[in-house]
Amino acid sequence: MDNRLLTEDRLARVDEVINELGLMKCQHTLIGSPTGVRGISGGEMKRLAFASEILMDPPLLFVDEPSSGLDSFMAQSVVKSLEDMAVKAGRTILCTIHQPPSEVFTMFNRLLLFSEGKTAFLGDCDAALEYFSELNHPCPPNYNPADFYIYTLAIIPSKEQESLERVKVFTDKFEKTQQEQLAIEEAENKTERPMQKIDIKSAVDQHGETRVNQFKLVMWRTWLTTKREPQLTKVRLMQTLIIGLFIGLLFLQVGGDKQSSV
């Protein structure tokens, strides 16, 4: 955060983000660790990662596969949090998604489809179905649109030539109709929070911490980690004692003079 903010203002911003992402229930729960310390769930851990990124209220947020490793319910909960962040806070969120279920896919406003390094579609999600239908590839009834788009634009190993020709139809159509330029202009018109030029040096100075504060924060975090995982501390202590004993036995009864050392 801005190093000019008071401690009370920082804590107030933290509470605001916790409420925004629905983390009130687990705000006093340990995150957990691979050593066996139970903590928050996978969905809560994803939302916590978002929370740490939006503390400074960025107008643009990049999210890479937020639903990976989650079940359908947790994936829907995480994407719902992203949707609320976009609608209520007016943020622009660019998100890659891995095989979303139909409930999750309907939460997205805009869709960008790539295939073979070229754009196959860019526009509203509702317009994608009509676009594919115009090119003689209608989506079957009761079929997940996301799965349909992936399968249609995928390169099938046993049908590579046929798949490449099908993909070329979509990419050529998109370029010929100048759909790309129209989509960019439409996106610019819909922008609620226009991007501004930022002085990188001033931004770093504004949000940076002094070396003394960085050292204090790292020491404080290390102390908390050690305190919260006593079992790991015991293992490390035993490891150090055993290694020290083993090295001591290697040099047991070794004289200090050169003759006995040889």
Side-chain angles (χ1 to χ4, degrees), residues 177-235:
T177 57
Q178 296 181 345
Q179 188 72 18
E180 182 177 4
Q181 184 61 32
L182 293 175
I184 293 175
E185 292 177 358
E186 183 181 356
E188 291 176 350
N189 294 332
K190 289 184 177 181
T191 302
E192 297 181 0
R193 298 173 63 178
M195 300 297 291
Q196 300 177 354
K197 292 184 177 180
I198 300 176
D199 186 351
I200 301 298
K201 186 177 184 304
S202 63
V204 173
D205 294 339
Q206 179 180 354
H207 299 293
E209 289 285 352
T210 63
R211 294 185 181 276
V212 175
N213 287 337
Q214 290 179 17
F215 180 77
K216 290 180 180 179
L217 291 173
V218 171
M219 288 293 295
W220 175 71
R221 185 177 64 182
T222 304
W223 163 247
L224 285 181
T225 303
T226 304
K227 181 181 178 182
R228 290 171 176 175
E229 297 186 3
Q231 189 68 27
L232 181 60
T233 303
K234 293 178 182 178
V235 171

Side-chain angles (χ1 to χ4, degrees), residues 145-194:
D147 293 336
F148 171 72
Y149 300 146
I150 293 173
Y151 182 80
T152 304
L153 298 177
I155 305 300
I156 304 174
S158 59
K159 303 177 181 179
E160 291 187 6
Q161 188 60 34
E162 179 183 348
S163 300
L164 290 172
E165 292 176 357
R166 181 173 60 248
V167 168
K168 191 174 185 302
V169 171
F170 283 91
T171 55
D172 291 348
K173 174 68 174 179
F174 188 82
E175 292 178 358
K176 289 179 181 178
T177 57
Q178 296 181 345
Q179 188 72 18
E180 182 177 4
Q181 184 61 32
L182 293 175
I184 293 175
E185 292 177 358
E186 183 181 356
E188 291 176 350
N189 294 332
K190 289 184 177 181
T191 302
E192 297 181 0
R193 298 173 63 178

Side-chain angles (χ1 to χ4, degrees), residues 120-141:
F121 177 80
L122 174 61
D124 293 335
C125 288
D126 297 335
L129 290 174
E130 182 180 353
Y131 179 77
F132 274 69
S133 298
E134 291 177 355
L135 297 176
N136 299 322
H137 287 83
C139 180

Side-chain angles (χ1 to χ4, degrees), residues 34-46:
T35 58
V37 178
R38 292 193 60 184
I40 59 180
S41 65
E44 291 169 341
M45 196 171 297
K46 290 280 186 180

Side-chain angles (χ1 to χ4, degrees), residues 9-10 77 137-138 163 206 214 254 257:
D9 296 332
R10 297 189 181 196
S77 175
H137 287 83
S163 300
Q206 179 180 354
Q214 290 179 17
V254 175
D257 58 323

